[in-house]
Amino acid sequence: MDILKINGGNKLTGEITLHGAKNSALPILSATILVKGVSVLHNCPKLKDVDETLSILEGLGCKVKREGSTVTVDATDVNSSKIDEKAMRSMRSSILFLGSLLSRCKEASIFLPGGCDIGARPIDIHINALKQLGAEITENGSSICCKADELKGTKIVLPFCSVGATENIIISSAISNGTTTIINPAREPEIVDLANFLNSCGADISGAGNSVIEIKGVKRLHSCNNYHSIIPDRILASTYMSACAITGGDIMLNNVKVSTLTPVFPVFSEMGCKLYITDNTLRIKAPARLKKVRSIKTLPYPGFPTDSQSMVVAALSNAKGTSVVKENIFENRFRYVNELNRFGTDIEINDRIAIINGVDNLHSANVFATDLRGGAALVIAALKAEGESTISSIEHIDRGYESIENNLALLGADIKRIKNEEGFTEEKFTKAKS
Ligand code: UD1
């Protein structure tokens, strides 16, 4: 396992180009098996989660090829409807194969998904929705079997606008008999991207991004028209914005979908950052010291994204004054704060509320990443902290960031990835500290 060594204190300056959105790539890749032919995806990030998804596709019989950021999936010969336990446990989004396999093979057999430990993350909304579409589902504690000779369109009212459940419904009902209407779907930009991909393959989906989605089932899909380009990663953008903000930097981000970032712009403006926006670039210029913000509440899109919460908390830890952040989506999403406080930050957690008393200085620390975005928050703190910090368990970070160290180094950070030759494991690390 690698670790990151960061010598903090450098202001970030310069420009980088953002990669495509992980959370778009994963559902779109799982939807490629609906197409008995070739799907070409541009701007597909090279991430651990994407690689795992490509391996799952290969295991199902697809031919997969990557050239740079272009991925080609030939799903002409899908020959299995089962996904093994190891692959399923590696990431939560593998649950999306339930809908795509059901559609393609009329059955799916999968284990319960894993992913970041940020809350209970049940899948009841997915299961109920698929049952309403006519699937027969049996669960045995660790695995799920799903069968349906034909999926039939119906009206599905979601009790909560779950991103994954909305994607599973869209994927499974794209080829179906009749019309499916989703009331209270998730409205995230990645849902729109998935619908655009499927529509370019002949699906008939309207309303994605709004509060009602209508899917008129078609008989089959064809190869996507030329190619589909995955939207830029908005969470990646907010990560580099937070890194720039805490270091008092001035950076330009290229390949940004500005409209997807409107929920985070007011927060950075309130911190005192200046934002210069064009169609697909964003320059952020931070003040020497950030200002506190009154309060942030994470909410489904178009609210402030839960995935940006930890990075923004890290930036606010060094702001002047006290800020309050409430996490409304995942109950366990402040686990990283214990590690963050090792940098000398002063953050108190009260159930789902973080009270961030901004400190004047951060000092170096040796910490481990608890989860993907929590890990990114530690990187941000280390960029500001005086002296050398190490971050271990960075396999979590690699799930969502392509070469984070190279991009930050391009912006002037003193950061290196090195082999963890001491054999530090999270367990040994925790014992050593206690
Ligand atoms: C997706 C994103 C993740 C992001 C999250 C919220 C991907 C690959 N992951 O995750 O990065 O943080 O959206 O924006 O796109 N819930 C249930 N029952 C269900 C499903 C969800 O109770 O069947 C609850 C969850 O426990 C959680 C909330 O709903 O508290 C949100 O989950 P959901 O929107 O489904 O998130 P994911 O699709 O897992």
Side-chain angles (χ1 to χ4, degrees):
M1 302 285 176
D2 298 345
I3 61 175
L4 290 175
K5 277 204 181 205
I6 301 176
N7 259 301
N10 294 0
K11 275 187 186 184
L12 298 192
T13 55
E15 63 182 278
I16 51 169
T17 298
L18 301 187
H19 59 63
K22 168 178 92 71
N23 289 352
S24 265
L26 302 180
I28 289 174
L29 283 169
S30 69
T32 58
I33 62 171
L34 266 55
V35 177
K36 287 186 183 160
V38 176
S39 300
V40 181
L41 304 175
H42 286 185
N43 206 25
C44 188
K46 175 106 186 70
L47 302 169
K48 208 163 146 242
D49 276 12
V50 170
D51 287 346
E52 297 274 4
T53 305
L54 295 179
S55 303
I56 292 178
L57 287 168
E58 283 178 327
L60 296 172
C62 300
K63 292 188 188 72
V64 172
K65 197 170 79 185
R66 177 187 274 282
E67 280 170 332
S69 65
T70 298
V71 166
T72 307
V73 180
D74 181 349
T76 309
D77 297 314
V78 170
N79 53 27
S80 168
S81 58
K82 292 193 174 112
I83 301 179
D84 73 52
E85 188 165 7
K86 191 167 160 277
M88 281 302 296
R89 290 207 183 277
S90 66
M91 62 187 165
R92 161 100 179 158
S93 62
S94 46
I95 186 69
L96 297 172
F97 279 98
L98 200 56
S100 57
L101 281 173
L102 190 60
S103 172
R104 177 71 192 258
C105 307
K106 315 281 176 227
E107 61 178 10
S109 174
I110 65 169
F111 287 83
L112 288 173
C116 276
D117 181 11
I118 53 177
R121 307 190 87 171
I123 53 164
D124 53 318
I125 305 176
H126 299 244
I127 300 292
N128 287 337
L130 291 175
K131 280 185 181 162
Q132 288 177 64
L133 288 166
E136 237 177 70
I137 301 186
T138 43
E139 293 176 71
N140 82 356
S142 61
S143 65
I144 309 166
C145 283
C146 220
K147 279 190 186 164
D149 287 337
E150 183 185 60
L151 290 167
K152 289 203 179 81
T154 187
K155 179 170 153 186
I156 301 174
V157 182
L158 293 186
F160 177 80
C161 48
S162 154
V163 173
T166 303
E167 290 166 344
N168 243 332
I169 299 169
I170 291 175
I171 292 171
S172 52
S173 56
I175 300 174
S176 63
N177 182 0
T179 297
T180 297
T181 310
I182 315 176
I183 313 286
N184 191 32
R187 294 192 277 161
E188 269 65 4
E190 294 77 19
I191 304 273
V192 179
D193 206 21
L194 171 67
N196 287 343
F197 165 72
L198 287 168
N199 284 341
S200 79
C201 301
D204 187 352
I205 303 163
S206 54
N210 298 318
S211 49
V212 177
I213 298 179
E214 194 176 80
I215 305 134
K216 290 191 179 127
V218 296
K219 288 214 162 26
R220 68 188 65 80
L221 297 183
H222 52 71
S223 291
C224 59
N225 300 330
N226 292 320
Y227 64 86
H228 178 81
S229 195
I230 289 169
I231 57 168
D233 197 315
R234 63 196 167 101
I235 307 303
L236 186 64
S238 67
T239 303
Y240 288 112
M241 289 170 80
S242 304
C244 173
I246 199 170
T247 63
D250 181 355
I251 64 168
M252 174 76 98
L253 301 175
N254 300 316
N255 192 30
V256 171
K257 193 166 167 66
V258 169
S259 59
T260 65
L261 285 164
T262 46
V264 303
F265 284 155
V267 169
F268 284 92
S269 298
E270 202 179 340
M271 285 195 259
C273 298
K274 296 257 182 300
L275 305 173
Y276 306 90
I277 295 161
T278 71
D279 275 357
N280 59 358
T281 67
L282 165 67
R283 177 179 161 209
I284 170 167
K285 188 171 185 303
R289 178 90 190 261
L290 295 172
K291 293 192 250 175
K292 64 173 183 172
V293 298
R294 269 160 302 176
S295 96
I296 300 174
K297 295 185 185 86
T298 65
L299 288 169
Y301 193 85
F304 186 90
T306 173
D307 286 353
S308 301
Q309 177 256 102
S310 52
M311 294 82 88
V312 167
V313 165
L316 288 170
S317 70
N318 183 227
K320 195 155 182 58
T322 296
S323 308
V324 177
V325 173
K326 178 155 191 235
E327 172 55 53
N328 285 311
I329 309 293
F330 291 108
E331 67 277 15
N332 210 4
R333 209 156 198 183
F334 284 128
R335 277 187 70 216
Y336 67 94
V337 167
N338 279 341
E339 291 302 298
L340 190 59
N341 277 338
R342 293 183 194 281
F343 289 96
T345 59
D346 178 2
I347 304 169
E348 296 160 42
I349 301 298
N350 194 342
D351 193 19
R352 285 177 175 239
I353 294 177
I355 299 162
I356 306 141
N357 301 306
V359 294
D360 293 342
N361 297 299
L362 273 63
H363 55 69
S364 60
N366 297 328
V367 292
F368 71 87
T370 52
D371 60 83
L372 164 55
R373 306 300 171 187
L378 301 177
V379 171
I380 287 164
L383 290 171
K384 179 69 182 177
E386 286 295 329
E388 184 179 273
S389 300
T390 60
I391 302 172
S392 57
S393 299
I394 61 167
E395 60 279 8
H396 291 297
I397 300 175
D398 291 337
R399 290 186 44 219
Y401 296 91
E402 190 177 309
S403 310
I404 192 167
E405 69 282 11
N406 293 344
N407 281 313
L408 287 169
L410 269 176
L411 296 173
D414 182 349
I415 176 169
K416 273 193 218 83
R417 176 186 291 258
I418 55 167
K419 291 270 164 249
N420 180 7
E421 276 154 3
E422 291 99 27
F424 254 160
T425 61
E426 192 170 315
E427 191 195 9
K428 278 191 203 164
F429 200 63
T430 313
K431 274 190 193 146
K433 283 190 300 199
S434 58

